[in-house]
Protein backbone atom coordinates (compact mmCIF):
# COMPACT_ATOMS: atom_id res chain seq x y z
CA UNK A 1 0.00 0.00 0.00
CA UNK A 2 1.40 3.40 -0.97
CA UNK A 3 1.93 5.77 1.94
CA UNK A 4 0.09 9.02 1.32
CA UNK A 5 0.76 12.21 3.21
CA UNK A 6 -2.50 13.94 4.02
CA UNK A 7 -4.32 16.04 6.53
CA UNK A 8 -6.29 13.74 8.84
CA UNK A 9 -8.99 16.29 9.52
CA UNK A 10 -12.19 14.27 9.32
CA UNK A 11 -15.49 15.82 8.31
CA UNK A 12 -18.43 14.12 9.98
CA UNK A 13 -21.98 14.84 8.84
CA UNK A 14 -25.17 13.95 10.68
CA UNK A 15 -27.83 14.33 8.02
CA UNK A 16 -31.57 14.84 8.26
CA UNK A 17 -32.08 13.99 11.93
CA UNK A 18 -35.87 14.24 12.15
CA UNK A 19 -37.22 15.17 15.58
CA UNK A 20 -40.38 16.72 16.98
CA UNK A 21 -40.46 19.72 19.27
CA UNK A 22 -42.69 22.56 20.34
CA UNK A 23 -41.18 25.46 18.42
CA UNK A 24 -42.61 28.88 17.75
CA UNK A 25 -44.45 31.77 19.32
CA UNK A 26 -47.97 31.39 17.92
CA UNK A 27 -50.55 29.55 20.04
CA UNK A 28 -50.83 26.63 17.63
CA UNK A 29 -47.01 26.26 17.63
CA UNK A 30 -46.88 26.36 21.43
CA UNK A 31 -49.60 23.69 21.73
CA UNK A 32 -48.55 21.30 18.94
CA UNK A 33 -45.26 19.57 18.26
CA UNK A 34 -43.71 20.15 14.86
CA UNK A 35 -41.03 18.42 12.85
CA UNK A 36 -37.54 19.86 12.86
CA UNK A 37 -34.77 18.53 10.64
CA UNK A 38 -31.27 18.85 12.03
CA UNK A 39 -28.07 18.71 9.99
CA UNK A 40 -24.68 18.82 11.67
CA UNK A 41 -21.30 19.05 9.99
CA UNK A 42 -18.15 19.00 12.09
CA UNK A 43 -14.43 18.46 11.78
CA UNK A 44 -11.92 16.85 14.10
CA UNK A 45 -8.40 15.50 13.94
CA UNK A 46 -8.84 11.81 13.14
CA UNK A 47 -5.14 10.91 13.20
CA UNK A 48 -5.46 8.67 16.27
CA UNK A 49 -8.63 7.02 14.98
CA UNK A 50 -6.93 6.25 11.67
CA UNK A 51 -3.72 4.97 13.25
CA UNK A 52 -5.30 2.86 16.01
CA UNK A 53 -8.49 1.79 14.20
CA UNK A 54 -10.36 1.78 17.52
CA UNK A 55 -13.61 3.50 18.46
CA UNK A 56 -12.02 4.83 21.65
CA UNK A 57 -9.68 6.94 19.50
CA UNK A 58 -12.48 8.42 17.39
CA UNK A 59 -15.05 11.12 17.99
CA UNK A 60 -18.22 9.26 18.92
CA UNK A 61 -20.89 10.83 16.72
CA UNK A 62 -23.49 8.46 18.14
CA UNK A 63 -23.01 10.09 21.56
CA UNK A 64 -23.42 13.55 20.03
CA UNK A 65 -26.58 12.46 18.21
CA UNK A 66 -28.09 11.00 21.39
CA UNK A 67 -27.35 14.24 23.26
CA UNK A 68 -29.08 16.26 20.52
CA UNK A 69 -32.11 13.96 20.59
CA UNK A 70 -32.32 14.19 24.38
CA UNK A 71 -32.18 17.97 24.28
CA UNK A 72 -34.57 18.60 21.37
CA UNK A 73 -37.16 15.83 21.12
CA UNK A 74 -40.40 16.88 22.81
CA UNK A 75 -38.98 20.08 24.30
CA UNK A 76 -40.05 23.71 23.87
CA UNK A 77 -38.24 26.50 22.03
CA UNK A 78 -39.58 29.92 21.06
CA UNK A 79 -37.11 30.62 18.27
CA UNK A 80 -35.35 28.50 15.68
CA UNK A 81 -32.25 30.64 16.26
CA UNK A 82 -32.15 29.65 19.94
CA UNK A 83 -32.65 25.97 19.17
CA UNK A 84 -29.84 26.06 16.59
CA UNK A 85 -27.54 27.80 19.08
CA UNK A 86 -28.24 25.20 21.77
CA UNK A 87 -27.57 22.28 19.42
CA UNK A 88 -24.33 23.92 18.26
CA UNK A 89 -23.27 24.22 21.91
CA UNK A 90 -23.91 20.50 22.44
CA UNK A 91 -21.63 19.69 19.51
CA UNK A 92 -18.89 22.10 20.59
CA UNK A 93 -18.89 20.69 24.16
CA UNK A 94 -16.86 17.82 22.69
CA UNK A 95 -13.27 19.00 22.95
CA UNK A 96 -12.11 17.16 19.83
CA UNK A 97 -14.46 19.17 17.59
CA UNK A 98 -12.49 21.87 15.79
CA UNK A 99 -15.31 23.37 13.73
CA UNK A 100 -19.04 22.74 13.53
CA UNK A 101 -22.00 23.94 11.56
CA UNK A 102 -25.60 23.25 12.55
CA UNK A 103 -28.56 23.89 10.29
CA UNK A 104 -32.10 23.29 11.52
CA UNK A 105 -35.09 23.31 9.21
CA UNK A 106 -38.66 23.93 10.25
CA UNK A 107 -40.70 22.38 7.41
CA UNK A 108 -43.77 24.26 6.15
CA UNK A 109 -43.18 27.25 8.44
CA UNK A 110 -44.10 29.56 5.57
CA UNK A 111 -47.09 29.10 3.32
CA UNK A 112 -45.26 28.90 -0.03
CA UNK A 113 -41.93 27.51 1.14
CA UNK A 114 -40.83 23.93 1.75
CA UNK A 115 -39.06 25.01 4.93
CA UNK A 116 -37.27 27.75 6.82
CA UNK A 117 -33.85 27.09 8.29
CA UNK A 118 -31.29 28.74 10.52
CA UNK A 119 -27.60 27.89 10.20
CA UNK A 120 -24.91 28.72 12.78
CA UNK A 121 -21.27 27.71 13.04
CA UNK A 122 -18.46 27.82 15.57
CA UNK A 123 -14.76 26.98 15.66
CA UNK A 124 -11.85 26.71 18.10
Amino acid sequence: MTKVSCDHKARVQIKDLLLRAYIGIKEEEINNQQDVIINVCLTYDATEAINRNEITAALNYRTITKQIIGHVDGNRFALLERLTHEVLNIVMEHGAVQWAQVEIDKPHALRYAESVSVCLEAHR
Side-chain angles (χ1 to χ4, degrees), residues 30-77:
I30 292 168
N31 294 325
N32 298 299
Q33 290 191 57
Q34 300 173 70
D35 290 342
V36 291
I37 301 169
I38 300 173
N39 286 283
V40 176
C41 184
L42 62 88
T43 61
Y44 83 102
D45 182 352
T47 303
E48 283 300 306
I50 292 165
N51 291 338
R52 291 177 35 201
N53 197 30
E54 296 174 0
I55 188 64
T56 56
L59 178 71
N60 192 330
Y61 50 82
R62 182 176 186 200
T63 299
I64 294 172
T65 303
K66 288 172 103 176
Q67 289 174 328
I68 293 169
I69 292 168
H71 186 74
V72 175
D73 208 36
N75 287 320
R76 296 185 182 278
F77 306 91

Side-chain angles (χ1 to χ4, degrees), residues 1-2 12 16 44 47 52 69 81 90 99 101 107 123:
M1 186 184 253
T2 305
V12 177
D16 300 330
Y44 83 102
T47 303
R52 291 177 35 201
I69 292 168
E81 291 84 350
I90 289 169
W99 170 87
Q101 180 181 68
H123 63 88

Side-chain angles (χ1 to χ4, degrees), residues 2 4 7 18 21 33 38 57 89 104 117 122:
T2 305
V4 177
D7 178 9
L18 177 61
Q33 290 191 57
I38 300 173
N89 282 343
I104 302 183
S117 71

